[in-house]
Amino acid sequence: MRWLAVMLTSMVLFVAQFSISCRKTEFIANDPFDPVKTLRDHGFTVEPGVEKTVTRNTDGSVETKWQGKVASIVPNDWEVLPWLWRDDIEKNLGSKPNEKFPSSETRKSGEPFEGSLFWTENGISEEMQISLKPDEATKQVEYRISVKGQWVKK
């Protein structure tokens, strides 16, 4: 009788493992940070109306976008934002993401910022695009962040 119970348990475990392995794998974005939380944690005032969208693309990738405005009280205080977001990702990943930020020779302080970060985690390759556009008249900075993740092909 005991061998029958062991055999049935083994069969159930095999069927369960087989059904799990045959399921279609659905991509879930690895968003290792919350850009709005980062802004608030560092004393920035986030203007109401932050938009976050998540799109599942036909190629299997997932893209998460954030768009909003932050108050810029001190001139050019927003210049630190890309590095704050990079540091959050590094802290959450446990390793530094690759960055492609403009140099001080190609971009002067106060000018719009365009840069990107790249990393791979758990078989998913991700790219973050960061765009910052200051508006001196309103003392605000518009930010747009896009994180696109895709399974790494082996």
Side-chain angles (χ1 to χ4, degrees):
M1 195 64 151
R2 185 168 189 268
W3 66 270
L4 182 60
V6 170
M7 194 135 167
L8 285 173
T9 302
S10 297
M11 287 176 60
V12 168
L13 289 174
F14 172 76
V15 170
Q17 180 63 34
F18 181 75
S19 68
I20 290 170
S21 65
C22 290
R23 284 189 197 146
K24 181 180 177 187
T25 304
E26 184 174 309
F27 179 87
I28 298 171
N30 277 349
D31 294 334
F33 82 117
D34 177 349
V36 175
K37 181 181 181 319
T38 301
L39 291 168
R40 290 186 175 129
D41 286 352
H42 290 280
F44 286 91
T45 302
V46 180
E47 299 299 325
V50 174
E51 294 179 30
K52 177 183 177 184
T53 59
V54 178
T55 306
R56 296 187 182 281
N57 301 310
T58 57
D59 66 358
S61 64
V62 173
E63 190 169 8
T64 306
K65 295 180 181 180
W66 292 267
Q67 176 179 322
K69 293 183 180 178
V70 63
S72 179
I73 299 167
V74 178
N76 299 332
D77 60 351
W78 58 272
E79 295 276 350
V80 301
L81 297 181
W83 288 270
L84 294 177
W85 289 320
R86 182 210 53 207
D87 292 348
D88 274 0
I89 290 170
E90 181 178 352
K91 180 178 139 197
N92 289 317
L93 293 176
S95 61
K96 189 174 181 176
N98 298 314
E99 65 182 58
K100 191 174 179 183
F101 289 169
S103 69
S104 57
E105 290 85 37
T106 60
R107 183 188 158 273
K108 304 298 178 216
S109 181
E111 292 180 348
F113 177 94
E114 299 283 336
S116 55
L117 298 169
F118 308 88
W119 66 92
T120 300
E121 180 188 32
N122 299 326
I124 300 170
S125 175
E126 303 216 42
E127 178 181 356
M128 173 192 284
Q129 298 289 326
I130 301 170
S131 173
L132 299 168
K133 295 182 181 168
D135 182 346
E136 283 298 315
T138 64
K139 302 290 186 212
Q140 294 179 333
V141 176
E142 179 183 6
Y143 64 89
R144 292 177 186 260
I145 300 171
S146 169
V147 178
K148 185 174 182 180
Q150 193 161 337
W151 289 107
V152 176
K153 294 177 182 164
K154 294 182 181 185

